[in-house]
C-alpha cells in the first residue's frame, strides 16, 4: 500500500491501485479457468481415467453425505482419492503428506459421518487431521 502525503499524488496512487486490482482480478480469474481445465474434462461421456470405481464429486468437495450415500466400491474409491491427494508431494523436497491405512480411514469416516450434524464435513479435512496425529 502506498502512503502519499500530497493530494494530487494520492489520486495518482489510488488510480494505480485500482488498475493493479483489475489486473490482479483478471489474473486470478484466468488462473482459475486454467486450473479448471487441468483438473479434468467436463464431458460426462468421457471414460474414467482408471478402471476402478469412481466418485462423482471432486475429492476436495466430497463430504460425509457422499460417504453415507456411497456403496462399498464407492467408499473404496473415496478413500483412495483422499489418500492420493493427502499423501501427495508437500512444499519440501522429497516430502509427502501423512496418510492413514485404508482400514483406519474407513473407520474414521464411518464414525465421524454417523451423526446428522456431520453431513457437510469435508472428508479430506477429517483425513488429513487424523493422519497428522497418527502415531503421536
Amino acid at each position: 500500500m502506498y502512503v502519499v502525503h500530497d493530494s494530487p499524488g494520492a489520486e495518482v496512487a489510488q488510480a494505480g491501485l485500482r488498475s493493479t486490482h483489475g489486473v490482479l482480478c483478471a489474473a486470478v480469474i484466468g488462473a482459475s479457468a486454467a486450473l479448471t481445465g487441468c483438473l479434468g474434462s467436463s464431458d460426462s461421456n468421457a471414460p474414467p481415467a482408471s478402471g476402478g470405481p469412481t466418485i462423482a464429486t471432486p475429492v476436495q468437495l466430497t463430504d460425509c453425505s457422499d460417504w453415507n450415500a456411497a456403496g462399498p466400491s464407492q467408499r473404496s474409491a473415496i478413500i483412495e482419492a483422499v489418500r492420493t491427494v493427502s499423501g501427495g508431494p508437500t512444499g519440501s523436497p522429497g516430502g509427502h503428506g501423512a496418510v492413514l491405512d485404508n482400514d483406519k480411514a474407513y473407520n474414521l469416516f464411518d464414525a465421524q459421518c454417523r451423526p446428522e450434524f456431520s453431513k457437510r464435513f469435508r472428508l479430506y479435512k477429517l483425513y488429513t487431521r487424523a493422519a497428522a496425529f497418527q502415531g503421536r
Side-chain angles (χ1 to χ4, degrees), residues 112-128:
Q112 295 300 314
C113 293
R114 196 169 294 137
E116 178 64 29
F117 64 82
S118 67
K119 67 182 176 181
R120 294 292 170 219
F121 288 1
R122 301 281 190 216
L123 297 181
Y124 83 92
K125 288 187 177 187
L126 293 171
Y127 185 98
T128 55

Side-chain angles (χ1 to χ4, degrees), residues 14-55:
Q14 193 174 25
L17 285 175
R18 277 194 292 264
S19 67
T20 303
H21 177 72
V23 170
L24 180 61
C25 287
V28 169
I29 291 169
S32 66
L35 183 59
T36 301
C38 292
L39 292 177
S41 171
S42 61
D43 181 13
S44 61
N45 295 328
S50 68
T54 60
I55 56 175

Side-chain angles (χ1 to χ4, degrees), residues 15-101:
L17 285 175
R18 277 194 292 264
S19 67
T20 303
H21 177 72
V23 170
L24 180 61
C25 287
V28 169
I29 291 169
S32 66
L35 183 59
T36 301
C38 292
L39 292 177
S41 171
S42 61
D43 181 13
S44 61
N45 295 328
S50 68
T54 60
I55 56 175
T57 308
V59 71
Q60 296 87 343
L61 301 177
T62 305
D63 58 24
C64 280
S65 64
D66 297 316
W67 176 261
N68 291 332
S73 62
Q74 285 93 7
R75 286 184 172 190
S76 271
I78 289 170
I79 290 171
E80 285 304 315
V82 172
R83 180 185 181 95
T84 299
V85 169
S86 301
T90 63
S92 64
H96 290 279
V99 294
L100 297 172
D101 110 339

